[in-house]
Amino acid sequence: MRKRIAMILAAVLLIGSLGGCASSKSSSENEEGSSSKDTLKVAMDLKFPPFSGTDENGEPEGLEVDIAYALGEYLDRDIEIINTDFSMLITALETGEADVVISDMAVKEERKEKVDFSDPYRYGRTLALVNKDFAQENNITNDMSPEEFFSIEGERIVGLSGTISVSVPQSYGAQVEEVTEIASALMEINQNTADVLVGANTILGDHAANPDTTIVYEGIKEYSQSAMAVKKGNTELLEQLNAFIQTMYEDGGFYMEAGDKYDDAIGEYLQDDSKGLEYLIYPPKGGTPEV
């Protein structure tokens, strides 16, 4: 009888032990699941300071990085930065490697077929680098309408194939000489063998490098919109992103504080000290969004 009782007790203890192990494993799995759920994986290309780069210790830093961490605070979620080449950002969403892209991704129709975009949080101007002699001869100022600007008699426009430097002038009915290297286009403007080169914010830097031979025309209406991207159909996260972006612009919001930190760095990046964070976070007045 004693042996039988001992065997029963041993069996009960064994079952209890196994039940405890199963419970512990299940608890561990829940904790892991919770941790995974609470961590928001943000993909960005860390090669574009001061917006997204790395510090001397290889840690992510920059405006986009700070936006990601601010988003994490807003959602009460941990943030994991996934350093991803720009060409692979959408793939990272599709494969689940990332939950959201925050990497100055411009909203384009072909991209909208693959991802869902949030409201815009950054904007890119469309500018023109103009040969200074040509500008003076034709009295070009920023008050000149783009329709008038792109219809100057004898105007020679050069543009990089497949970019806005071709598509924007053509949208106004202008003829464009297409090139495959931006360096050759810049050389033509500086050497007065071409008159106009359309581009994005980098045009400011091109002018700063050649102030004696160029001016910048800022009257073009088109502008790009940069937004956060999520996997197609992730409406819950998309709504959260839009709510967060709205707070960024409010008094006391992210952008109010970020200006103090990034104005100088952005002015240096644009090679124009008169332009800071506000130049990038608001669309030009009366402008037309590009998609």
Side-chain angles (χ1 to χ4, degrees), residues 141-251:
T141 69
N142 290 331
D143 294 328
M144 178 181 284
S145 71
E147 290 81 6
E148 186 179 0
F149 175 76
F150 285 116
S151 62
I152 297 173
E153 186 176 354
E155 184 177 37
R156 298 163 296 176
I157 303 175
V158 64
L160 184 65
S161 295
T163 70
I164 60 172
S165 63
V166 173
S167 61
V168 169
Q170 287 180 341
S171 71
Y172 288 92
Q175 298 294 317
V176 183
E177 176 193 340
E178 297 189 36
V179 297
T180 56
E181 295 290 338
I182 191 65
S184 63
L186 291 170
M187 185 180 299
E188 288 198 49
I189 299 297
N190 287 307
Q191 294 181 348
N192 200 16
T193 56
D195 305 314
V196 173
L197 169 65
V198 172
N201 291 336
T202 51
I203 288 291
L204 295 169
D206 297 328
H207 164 62
N210 302 280
D212 297 329
T213 57
T214 65
I215 70 157
V216 176
Y217 169 69
E218 300 186 40
I220 302 172
K221 297 177 182 179
E222 284 77 9
Y223 63 85
S224 64
Q225 305 173 88
S226 292
M228 303 177 190
V230 300
K231 189 175 182 178
K232 269 287 186 184
N234 193 347
T235 56
E236 180 180 0
L237 179 55
L238 192 64
E239 290 173 358
Q240 293 172 341
L241 296 180
N242 287 335
F244 167 68
I245 291 169
Q246 183 175 340
T247 70
M248 293 170 68
Y249 287 90
E250 295 174 352
D251 289 341

Side-chain angles (χ1 to χ4, degrees), residues 107-118:
V107 178
K108 295 184 179 295
E109 289 296 342
E110 60 268 26
R111 289 174 179 162
K112 289 167 70 173
E113 296 177 0
K114 299 179 180 179
V115 300
D116 287 335
F117 280 109
S118 70

Side-chain angles (χ1 to χ4, degrees), residues 268-290:
E268 183 178 347
Y269 168 79
L270 296 174
Q271 299 190 45
D272 186 338
D273 294 338
S274 69
K275 294 177 172 60
L277 181 61
E278 283 196 8
Y279 188 77
L280 302 178
I281 64 175
Y282 294 104
K285 292 181 180 179
T288 304
E290 259 191 2

